[in-house]
């Protein structure tokens, strides 16, 4: 099977979930490989728009972005209109000029908490990157280096608190596991309808970040 072609076709075949859009969430622990998987899935979808939760959150509001996302993203997409939002710059510590998120048959939302309770009614599918918290966090720390160790200390506490109060994995339609061939997509806790399948991503193993 060639990369994520079959998975993309299955998503395009779903009924719309947010106005004319099939909204797909890619959730999982920080460092689990969500961004890489979402980018590859977006490419397989022919360049599907991707909203990064990192652009909606901030240092002051690591998880208190639900109302902003609902107002800036969900509401316009549900009307079939282009969404516009200010992306947060984690270096400058402020929101920057507006960006556009166009209406498309499939739009991806990628990031920790993308499958949270408030968003699930608008999702066509919730995909969970099935890598454990400790392994994911260790990978994230290696990626970001010692300069961000203080941030990671606070983040892991906040993420644990979030998923304890509002877990996503129990509601996932599919679990995404990384293998040498690419990814394995397994039925999630919420749905056993998807058959086990290997989604190849070339012959070479690539790190998911």
């Amino acid at each position: 099977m060639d990369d994520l072609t079959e998975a993309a076709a299955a998503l395009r075949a779903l009924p719309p979930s947010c106005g004319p859009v099939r909204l797909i969430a890619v959730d999982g622990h920080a460092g689990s490989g969500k961004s890489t998987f979402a980018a590859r899935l977006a490419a397989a979808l022919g360049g599907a728009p991707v909203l990064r939760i990192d652009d909606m959150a901030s240092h002051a509001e690591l998880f208190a972005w639900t109302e902003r996302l609902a107002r800036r993203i969900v509401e316009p997409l549900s009307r079939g209109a282009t969404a516009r939002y200010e992306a947060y710059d984690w270096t400058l510590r402020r929101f920057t000029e507006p960006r556009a998120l166009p209406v498309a048959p499939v739009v991806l939302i990628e990031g920790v908490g993308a499958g949270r309770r408030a968003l699930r009614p608008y999702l066509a599918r919730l995909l969970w990157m099935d890598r454990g918290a400790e392994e994911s966090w260790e990978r994230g720390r290696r990626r970001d280096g010692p300069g961000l160790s203080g941030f990671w200390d606070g983040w892991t506490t906040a993420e644990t608190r979030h998923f304890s109060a509002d877990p996503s994995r129990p509601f996932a339609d599919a679990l995404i596991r990384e293998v040498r061939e690419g990814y394995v997509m397994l039925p999630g806790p919420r749905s056993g309808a998807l058959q086990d399948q290997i989604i190849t991503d070339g012959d070479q193993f690539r790190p998911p970040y």
Side-chain angles (χ1 to χ4, degrees):
M1 187 185 304
D2 182 27
D3 57 16
L4 297 170
T5 302
E6 289 191 17
L11 295 178
R12 280 193 294 263
L14 295 171
S17 60
C18 182
V21 173
R22 294 151 187 83
L23 206 57
I24 309 298
V26 180
D27 203 342
H29 298 291
S32 62
K34 299 179 302 300
S35 297
T36 296
F37 174 76
R40 294 175 182 171
L41 180 58
L45 287 161
V50 180
L51 174 72
R52 299 172 68 250
I53 293 299
D54 282 354
D55 289 341
M56 305 298 295
S58 68
H59 284 91
E61 297 178 323
L62 293 178
F63 289 96
W65 41 260
T66 307
E67 192 276 334
R68 183 181 306 119
L69 191 146
R71 184 180 71 254
R72 298 286 188 169
I73 305 299
V74 174
E75 193 277 330
L77 291 183
S78 68
R79 295 188 284 104
T82 295
R84 300 188 183 279
Y85 64 98
E86 295 77 25
Y88 187 71
D89 187 312
W90 290 84
T91 300
L92 298 177
R93 292 177 173 256
R94 62 178 176 82
F95 287 95
T96 59
E97 65 279 356
R99 297 181 182 178
L101 185 73
V103 173
V106 180
V107 173
L108 305 180
I109 297 182
E110 171 272 312
V112 180
R116 71 195 315 171
R117 184 184 303 113
L119 295 180
R120 288 198 290 270
Y122 305 98
L123 299 179
R125 282 291 184 273
L126 168 54
L127 311 180
W128 175 265
M129 296 302 297
D130 206 32
R131 193 185 299 274
E134 294 297 333
E135 181 185 357
S136 296
W137 296 339
E138 177 59 29
R139 288 155 56 89
R141 286 178 182 271
R142 290 200 307 268
R143 176 195 64 201
D144 293 342
L148 289 178
S149 60
F151 174 82
W152 272 97
D153 290 343
W155 171 267
T156 55
T157 298
E159 183 183 304
T160 299
R161 185 181 300 119
H162 166 72
F163 281 133
S164 293
D166 191 356
S168 295
R169 191 182 189 279
F171 302 94
D173 297 290
L175 305 179
I176 311 301
R177 296 179 185 170
E178 193 170 21
V179 296
R180 292 189 64 87
E181 296 83 2
Y183 298 94
V184 178
M185 181 177 288
L186 302 172
R190 190 169 73 171
S191 172
L194 295 177
Q195 296 182 351
D196 295 9
Q197 54 184 305
I198 293 289
I199 304 173
T200 61
D201 188 45
D203 296 328
Q204 290 282 75
F205 173 79
R206 301 170 188 168
Y209 53 84

